[in-house]
């Protein structure tokens, strides 16, 4: 259970009208609820409004409580920088902004805390769509100050991409980087028409973080078990490659987020290897 977590804002969201919103007014209470529901960790959300660093940096004691759990204890073990979906590392007009935001985040959150993974979503306005572009991104990361920072504080950089496993593998073969891998989103992959369990076998050691959601092919985020992701097959595939990292829920909510998070967790646990789903 230690490696199964959920993203901030999924249990006590600020609004029911949209996802990916940092729970500014109740983030501490939400962390306590997440633990009480049975999750083993929480993923911090650096949302598009930049609320996470604004709120948490100003509350040192509470931030320390959330981020410095001893080994084996409940803590925040990853952060998703959804903020980066608004800017592109490949666009020369926003490239320096991208670099500086990642640098400042590593400085603020990753030294002396329990964070192990920093997810960099290269999606939406910052989308990377080809092996050639990904090679350029990996080259930029290799030469960036934040890459050295991440290595120094022992934080894995996990790139979240909407690309096929073959394309990703090709780019990483051209520019292999220690401490840089993939955040693999099962729902997004299935919605794009790929078969996640087959992609997992191709990506193998490149997968350093996993996002859990369900989506039908070509459709949006739905409750776990409603979409087209074959969770038992995906979990068997992850087990077969020896994956031992975090699996973080980036799941939907509708009207009762806490109960729906509990429902998603209960469903997911029935899909673990050796359990009927």
């Amino acid at each position: 259970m230690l490696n199964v977590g959920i993203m901030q804002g999924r249990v006590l969201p600020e609004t029911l009208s949209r996802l990916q919103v940092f729970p500014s007014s109740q983030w501490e209470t939400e962390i306590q609820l997440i633990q009480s529901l049975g999750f083993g960790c929480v993923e911090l959300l650096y949302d598009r409004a930049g609320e996470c660093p604004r709120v948490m940096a100003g509350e040192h004691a509470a931030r320390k409580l959330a981020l410095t759990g001893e080994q084996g204890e409940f803590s925040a073990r990853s952060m998703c920088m959804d903020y980066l979906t608004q800017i592109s590392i490949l666009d020369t007009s926003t490239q320096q902004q991208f670099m500086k935001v990642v640098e400042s985040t590593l400085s603020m959150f990753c030294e002396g805390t329990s964070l192990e993974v920093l997810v960099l979503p290269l999606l939406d306005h910052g989308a990377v769509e080809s092996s050639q572009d990904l090679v350029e991104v990996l080259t930029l990361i290799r030469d960036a100050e934040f890459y050295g920072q991440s290595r120094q504080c022992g934080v894995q950089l996990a790139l979240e991409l909407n690309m096929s496993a073959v394309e990703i593998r090709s780019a990483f073969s051209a520019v292999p980087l220690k401490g840089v891998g993939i955040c693999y989103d099962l729902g997004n992959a299935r919605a794009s028409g790929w078969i996640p369990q087959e992609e997992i076998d191709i990506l193998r050691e490149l997968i350093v973080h996993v996002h859990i959601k369900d989506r039908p092919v070509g459709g949006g985020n739905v409750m776990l078990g409603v979409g087209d992701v074959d969770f038992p097959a995906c979990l068997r595939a992850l087990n077969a490659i020896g994956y031992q990292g975090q699996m973080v829920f980036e799941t939907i909510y509708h009207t009762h987020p806490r109960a729906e998070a509990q429902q998603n967790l209960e469903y997911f646990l029935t899909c673990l290897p050796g359990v009927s789903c």
Side-chain angles (χ1 to χ4, degrees):
M1 274 302 299
L2 180 63
N3 285 347
V4 179
I6 191 168
M7 185 176 287
Q8 281 184 309
R10 258 49 184 198
V11 175
L12 282 180
E14 291 291 292
T15 175
L16 294 177
S17 63
R18 59 193 176 96
L19 297 171
Q20 304 296 79
V21 179
F22 180 79
S24 301
S25 66
Q26 48 196 354
W27 70 270
E28 292 173 90
T29 301
E30 185 189 53
I31 286 177
Q32 294 171 354
L33 281 174
I34 287 170
Q35 184 176 14
S36 71
L37 288 174
F39 290 97
C41 53
V42 60
E43 181 158 295
L44 303 184
L45 175 63
Y46 191 145
D47 73 342
R48 297 188 184 198
E51 284 291 284
C52 184
R54 184 188 69 79
V55 172
M56 297 184 77
E59 300 181 16
H60 178 73
R63 172 177 169 270
K64 183 177 179 181
L65 175 67
L67 299 180
T68 55
E70 297 295 329
Q71 186 175 7
E73 293 183 357
F74 180 91
S75 62
R77 297 176 54 211
S78 58
M79 171 184 276
C80 181
M81 295 193 67
D82 196 58
Y83 184 90
L84 297 177
T85 60
Q86 305 170 107
I87 54 182
S88 172
I89 191 174
L90 292 175
D91 187 332
T92 55
S93 68
T94 57
Q95 190 174 98
Q96 286 306 306
Q97 181 187 2
F98 185 104
M99 301 289 189
K100 289 185 180 301
V101 170
V102 179
E103 288 170 17
S104 64
T105 301
L106 283 163
S107 297
M108 184 182 300
F109 288 102
C110 296
E111 293 186 16
T113 74
S114 57
L115 291 187
E116 301 169 359
V117 176
L118 188 64
V119 180
L120 309 182
L122 304 181
L123 306 168
D124 298 341
H125 293 295
V128 175
E129 298 176 337
S130 70
S131 286
Q132 183 177 356
D133 284 347
L134 183 53
V135 165
E136 183 177 350
V137 167
L138 292 171
T139 302
L140 287 167
I141 290 174
R142 182 190 62 195
D143 299 332
E145 182 177 334
F146 70 73
Y147 177 56
Q149 284 180 279
S150 68
R151 298 289 291 155
Q152 185 174 4
C153 59
V155 171
Q156 290 264 9
L157 300 178
L159 310 184
E160 187 171 2
L161 300 155
N162 188 27
M163 294 171 55
S164 73
V166 171
E167 292 175 305
I168 294 170
R169 171 61 73 179
S170 173
F172 271 84
S173 295
V175 188
L177 290 179
K178 291 184 178 180
V180 181
I182 295 300
C183 169
Y184 193 73
D185 188 305
L186 302 179
N188 289 352
R190 191 69 192 101
S192 295
W194 298 308
I195 308 298
Q197 57 268 34
E198 296 177 2
E199 300 254 303
I200 289 166
D201 187 54
I202 296 170
L203 292 168
R204 303 186 73 81
E205 81 288 348
L206 292 179
I207 300 175
V208 298
H209 197 64
V210 173
H211 275 169
I212 301 294
K213 71 163 69 81
D214 203 356
R215 295 176 63 179
V217 175
N221 198 344
V222 295
M223 293 290 287
L224 299 189
V226 176
D228 291 331
V229 176
D230 186 338
F231 285 100
C234 290
L235 291 167
R236 286 194 298 270
L238 288 168
N239 188 56
I241 66 169
Y243 180 75
Q244 296 182 335
Q246 299 171 60
M247 293 183 284
V248 173
F249 284 30
E250 201 178 19
T251 39
I252 192 80
Y253 50 72
H254 299 289
T255 56
H256 298 88
R258 180 178 178 179
E260 288 157 348
Q262 181 76 70
Q263 179 183 334
N264 280 323
L265 180 59
E266 290 173 356
Y267 171 83
F268 183 78
L269 293 178
T270 69
C271 296
L272 293 173
V275 180
S276 299
C277 183

